[in-house]
């Protein structure tokens, strides 16, 4: 019954891609630099986003549920068996650590703000919409999460951690994370800004997941 409630919650209509694109186009194009594993925000100060009334643990749990649903839909079929070419985000095998535990580990070691986990969802959605060769599955979700949280934390929090810290927290080498970060940025056209409207849509989805859990 709990799984049925979560599935019903996640069957809410998705924000149309066109609406997302319009939101992005309304903002001036950000200028970022990818130097020494750091992403510099545009000249305009990034507005502080509000995480809502959810606790950090609740938000991590909601993000994990949302991504678990995506993974269940994708199944566990290896891309090469579907005739697809694995992307760099594909792990050789599915990690044993659950999505929730992986997020909790990242949150504990890096002390990311709650907003970062909402932004990570936005970034992952932007990536998979632009790249049909990348699906959210048990083979990709951990690397997608680490990379998107890394980008969100640099853009939103800017606490000074470098990629070695993020890589250590996520179980990758620094070079692997550097390569994934650059690929992620190129695939989303370096668009890290998220409007308040789009952010609130994803935050409300997380709230609905928590209330339905």
């Amino acid at each position: 019954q709990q799984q049925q409630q979560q599935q019903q919650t996640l069957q809410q209509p998705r924000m149309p891609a066109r609406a997302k694109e319009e939101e992005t186009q309304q903002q001036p194009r950000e200028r970022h630099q990818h130097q020494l594993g750091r992403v510099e925000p545009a000249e305009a100060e990034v507005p502080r986003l509000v995480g809502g009334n959810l606790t950090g643990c609740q938000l991590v749990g909601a993000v994990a549920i949302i991504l678990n649903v995506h993974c269940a839909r994708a199944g566990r079929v290896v891309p090469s068996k579907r005739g697809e070419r694995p992307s760099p985000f594909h792990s050789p095998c599915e990690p044993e650590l659950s999505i929730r535990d992986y997020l909790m580990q990242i949150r504990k070691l890096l002390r990311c703000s709650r907003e970062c986990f909402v932004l990570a969802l936005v970034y992952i959605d932007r990536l998979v919409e632009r790249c049909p060769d990348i699906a959210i599955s048990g083979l990709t979700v951990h690397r997608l999460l680490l990379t998107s949280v890394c980008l969100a934390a640099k853009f939103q929090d800017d606490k000074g951690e470098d990629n070695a810290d993020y890589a250590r927290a996520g179980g990758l080498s620094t070079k692997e994370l550097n390569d994934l970060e650059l690929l992620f940025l190129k695939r989303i056209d370096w668009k890290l800004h998220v409007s308040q409207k789009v952010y609130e849509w994803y935050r409300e989805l997380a709230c609905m997941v928590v209330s339905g859990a």
Side-chain angles (χ1 to χ4, degrees):
Q1 183 179 1
Q2 182 178 359
Q3 290 181 344
Q4 290 178 348
Q5 290 177 341
Q6 293 172 354
Q7 288 281 355
Q8 291 173 355
T9 301
L10 295 177
Q11 288 173 356
Q12 302 294 329
R14 293 173 60 82
M15 173 173 281
R18 181 180 299 177
K20 292 183 184 179
E21 190 66 25
E22 289 174 355
E23 283 293 314
T24 302
Q25 290 175 354
Q26 289 174 2
Q27 304 297 332
R29 183 181 180 86
E30 299 86 7
R31 296 189 299 279
H32 305 289
Q33 297 176 345
H34 188 275
Q35 298 177 346
L36 302 177
R38 295 187 58 76
V39 177
E40 298 297 336
E43 291 179 0
E45 183 179 355
V46 181
R48 186 68 180 174
L49 301 174
V50 180
N53 296 324
L54 297 180
T55 66
C57 290
Q58 286 177 322
L59 191 51
V60 164
V63 171
I65 290 172
I66 293 170
L67 293 175
N68 271 318
V69 170
H70 282 289
C71 291
R73 290 172 180 169
R76 300 186 178 184
V77 180
V78 177
S80 58
K81 293 183 179 180
R82 293 196 299 255
E84 301 174 10
R85 184 177 180 180
S87 76
F89 292 100
H90 283 84
S91 300
C93 59
E94 189 169 332
E96 295 183 2
L97 199 61
S98 70
I99 297 173
R100 185 183 185 281
D101 289 344
Y102 190 66
L103 282 171
M104 290 297 291
Q105 174 177 296
I106 293 172
R107 179 172 178 262
K108 178 181 178 180
L109 295 176
L110 298 176
R111 300 185 181 276
C112 305
S113 66
R114 292 174 297 170
E115 292 87 352
C116 289
F117 297 102
V118 178
L119 293 176
L121 274 181
V122 180
Y123 294 163
I124 291 174
D125 254 8
R126 286 181 180 177
L127 181 72
V128 298
E129 283 175 2
R130 289 170 173 262
C131 307
D133 60 314
I134 301 175
I136 303 172
S137 70
L139 294 173
T140 63
V141 66
H142 292 74
R143 294 188 177 203
L144 289 172
L145 267 174
L146 178 61
T147 311
S148 59
V149 171
C150 172
L151 291 172
K154 289 179 179 181
F155 190 75
Q156 176 69 17
D157 295 347
D158 193 21
K159 293 182 178 179
E161 290 91 349
D162 58 25
N163 276 23
D165 298 318
Y166 293 100
R168 189 161 40 249
L172 294 180
S173 70
T174 304
K175 184 182 184 305
E176 283 180 304
L177 182 56
N178 286 345
D179 293 343
L180 291 177
E181 181 185 32
L182 182 57
L183 176 62
F184 201 114
L185 285 166
K186 287 181 176 178
R187 292 291 187 96
I188 65 172
D189 196 23
W190 301 77
K191 290 183 169 64
L192 295 180
H193 182 275
V194 176
S195 71
Q196 193 73 39
K197 180 179 179 181
V198 171
Y199 176 86
E200 285 299 327
W201 190 91
Y202 281 86
R203 188 191 65 80
E204 288 174 9
L205 175 61
C207 289
M208 286 189 292
V209 169
V210 171
S211 63

